[in-house]
Amino acid sequence: MTDSLGQHLQKSLHTIKKANWYRQEQKITDLSGCTITIDGQRMINFASNDYLGLATDIRLKQAAMDAVERYGTGSTGSRLLSGHRTLHGELERAIASFKQTEEALVFSSGYLANLGTISALMGKKDLILEDEYNHSSLKNGAKLSQAHRIEYEHLNCQNLIEKLIQVRSQYRHCLIVTDSVFSMDGDVSPLPQLLDIAQKFDCWLMVDEAHGTGVLGKNGAGCLEHFEIKSERIIQIGTLSKAVGSLGGYVAGNKVLIEFLRNRCATWIYTTALSPADTAAALAGINIIRSEAHRRHNLWTNINLLKELFNQTNLKIFPSDSAILCLPLEDASQGLLISAKVRSHGFYVPAIRPPTVPTSRLRFSLMATHEINHLQELIKALIQ
Ligand SMILES: Cc1ncc(COP(=O)(O)O)c(C=O)c1O
C-alpha cells in the first residue's frame, strides 16, 4: 500500500532534517539594510542582495507611495488586458537605455522572466547548453522548454566546446545560458569567450545579470558592460529585486525579440502586471544607479577591504569578482554551527547548504552601506 500524502511528506522532512538541510524563514521586524533585526536581535546584515542600499532609500519609497496614490495598489490585470500603466513603459525604456538595447520587457519577477523567456524561445528541436551552477530559474526554464539540455562544467569553455562539437549539428537552434555573476559562488562567467563560442557554433547567448547589475560595469549596467561586449546574439535578462532595490524582472534585447515575447511568453502574458509601487520604485532605482556612481565605488571599497581582511587570515574564500564572497565549509552541520556562532556575535551570515549548492559554505553579500568596522568586527568574530 502506498503512504498517505502526510506520511510521505513527514518522511521526506525527516530525511531533510537528518541531513541538516532543513530551512526556515527568519522573522525580520524592521527596515532591512546593512543592519537587520531578526527575532528581536539586531545584527549586521551580510545576507542582503540590496547591494547599493536602495531598498530603503527615501526616493524609492516616495516613488512607490506616489504610484500607489496615482494608480492604486494592484495592477488589476495582465499587461495585455487591464494591467499596463504608462509607468511600465517608462521603466522598460529606462532599462533598455541602461542596458544599451533597443527594447526591454518587464516581468513580475526575475524567476518568471527566466522561466518564460527560455521556454518561449526554445523547443523540442533545439539545444540548450547551461553552466552546471546556473540559477534554478534558468535550469527550470530550460526544462520547461523541452529542448535537449546539456550542462557544461562550471566556467569551463573547453568543456562547452567539446559538447558543442559532439552534438550541435543535431539541433536546430542552440542557446548557451549562463549567470553573469554566480549567485552562490560570486565568480564571473567568461562572457567574451562564451560570445566567441556562440559565434563559432551559431548559438544565442543568454546572460542573467541578476547579481551583475548595479555592481559591475563602468555605469553599473553589469558584466556585459564590464567586458565591453555587445552582440545581436546576446539576450540580457535580470532582476529588479537586488541592486535596483525593488521587485520584478526584465529581458533586454532587440525589438523583434521583445515583440515576440509579448506574443509568446506565457509568464508575461498570463500573469498580473508588476504592481505600480514596484514599477515606480524600480524606475527610481535605475535612475539612481545611473547617476550616483559613488554608491558602486563604496561597494567596491568594501568588497576589496573584506577580501584583504580574509587574506590576512587563514580563512580561504572562493575566488570572487563580485559582491558575493563565500567561505567553504566541511559540511552542512558545520555551516549551521558557524552561522549560529557568528550570529551570537551580532552578524547575520547564512550558511548555504545542499541541495542549493553542491558543498556547504558561508555566504557574505556586501553592501555599499557597510562600514569599515562592520567588516573588521566580522573577521574577528569569524576567527573566534
Ligand atoms: C541568478 C539569479 N537569477 C534569477 C533570480 C530570480 O530573481 P527574482 O528574485 O527577481 O525572482 C535570482 C534570485 O533570486 C538569481 O540569483
Side-chain angles (χ1 to χ4, degrees):
M1 207 170 73
T2 56
D3 288 348
S4 73
L5 177 63
Q7 277 173 332
H8 165 66
L9 299 182
Q10 284 297 353
K11 251 195 222 164
S12 297
L13 283 168
H14 180 70
T15 311
I16 292 170
K17 282 181 184 163
K18 234 172 105 183
N20 283 314
W21 290 5
Y22 189 72
R23 297 182 278 195
Q24 270 175 302
E25 307 90 322
Q26 307 290 325
K27 288 186 214 80
I28 297 162
T29 50
D30 67 353
L31 274 187
S32 160
C34 71
T35 58
I36 190 170
T37 306
I38 299 178
D39 289 328
Q41 187 193 356
R42 195 158 173 77
M43 291 177 280
I44 309 301
N45 186 6
F46 285 98
S48 175
N49 298 317
D50 180 20
Y51 300 117
L52 301 175
L54 293 181
T56 52
D57 189 282
I58 181 71
R59 292 162 291 179
L60 271 75
K61 292 198 265 184
Q62 193 59 52
M65 288 186 282
D66 292 347
V68 169
E69 274 296 326
R70 177 160 180 202
Y71 295 109
T73 49
S75 48
T76 76
S78 62
R79 287 285 294 280
L80 295 175
L81 296 179
S82 63
H84 180 77
R85 306 285 180 278
T86 48
L87 260 183
H88 292 110
E90 274 181 66
L91 176 58
E92 284 166 349
R93 284 190 292 282
I95 293 170
S97 154
F98 187 35
K99 297 282 173 178
Q100 300 276 297
T101 58
E102 278 179 356
E103 290 199 5
L105 192 65
V106 163
F107 289 69
S108 302
S109 76
Y111 206 109
L112 288 175
N114 288 354
L115 273 188
T117 303
I118 298 175
S119 57
L121 292 179
M122 304 305 280
K124 281 185 180 150
K125 295 182 183 160
D126 302 325
L127 172 66
I128 296 179
L129 281 142
E130 40 193 8
D131 187 292
E132 62 179 332
Y133 289 178
N134 272 357
H135 188 258
S136 147
S137 53
L138 298 170
K139 291 192 174 186
N140 282 328
K143 284 182 196 159
L144 194 62
S145 75
Q146 299 187 46
H148 183 68
R149 295 181 302 117
I150 300 179
E151 287 190 352
Y152 60 91
E153 287 167 16
H154 182 49
L155 306 183
N156 187 337
C157 290
Q158 195 46 44
N159 186 247
L160 169 62
I161 291 172
E162 283 160 19
K163 310 244 174 212
L164 279 163
I165 290 171
Q166 280 163 18
V167 298
R168 173 67 186 98
S169 61
Q170 297 165 30
Y171 297 92
R172 184 181 55 171
H173 302 132
C174 175
L175 181 68
I176 300 170
V177 184
T178 185
D179 285 23
S180 67
V181 171
F182 285 85
S183 56
M184 294 298 147
D185 298 78
D187 45 8
V188 167
S189 179
L191 296 178
Q193 290 91 318
L194 290 184
L195 180 58
D196 284 348
I197 295 169
Q199 270 154 355
K200 193 159 169 211
F201 289 89
D202 188 21
C203 310
W204 301 320
L205 175 62
M206 177 176 283
V207 181
D208 180 347
E209 289 268 36
H211 298 271
T213 303
V215 175
L216 285 156
K218 196 164 71 214
N219 302 296
C223 255
L224 290 164
E225 187 185 56
H226 167 76
F227 287 119
E228 297 180 353
I229 52 175
K230 254 182 127 177
S231 164
E232 283 287 303
R233 291 186 182 275
I234 296 178
I235 300 158
Q236 300 186 50
I237 203 153
T239 174
L240 302 165
S241 67
K242 303 192 192 298
V244 179
S246 181
L247 182 72
Y250 61 84
V251 177
N254 60 29
K255 232 182 177 82
V256 66
L257 167 74
I258 302 303
E259 192 179 349
F260 174 82
L261 292 174
R262 276 200 195 96
N263 286 277
R264 273 284 183 272
C265 181
T267 64
W268 185 80
I269 299 171
Y270 303 109
T271 192
T272 302
L274 187 67
S275 82
D278 294 318
T279 310
L283 181 57
I286 286 186
N287 290 337
I288 294 173
I289 291 176
R290 298 186 80 181
S291 60
E292 296 185 3
H294 67 269
R295 290 175 178 272
R296 204 162 48 260
H297 297 152
N298 290 349
L299 174 64
W300 277 99
T301 303
N302 285 340
I303 296 169
N304 291 329
L305 175 61
L306 189 59
K307 279 181 164 180
E308 180 52 38
L309 291 171
F310 268 116
N311 255 336
Q312 293 167 11
T313 71
N314 59 359
L315 301 168
K316 295 291 160 248
I317 53 172
F318 290 170
S320 160
D321 292 303
S322 71
I324 300 163
L325 303 184
C326 292
L327 182 66
L329 300 167
E330 274 166 25
D331 54 28
S333 69
Q334 191 195 35
L336 291 177
L337 187 76
I338 297 186
S339 179
K341 286 240 166 164
V342 173
R343 195 166 169 157
S344 70
H345 287 269
F347 298 94
Y348 181 44
V349 186
I352 311 292
R353 294 163 281 156
T356 306
V357 284
T359 55
S360 296
R361 66 208 61 182
L362 277 191
R363 178 182 184 269
F364 308 84
S365 54
L366 282 150
M367 296 178 68
T369 47
H370 279 126
E371 292 165 17
I372 292 177
N373 68 309
H374 294 158
L375 311 183
Q376 291 167 333
E377 296 301 318
L378 169 72
I379 293 288
K380 277 190 204 156
L382 282 166
I383 289 169
Q384 279 182 36

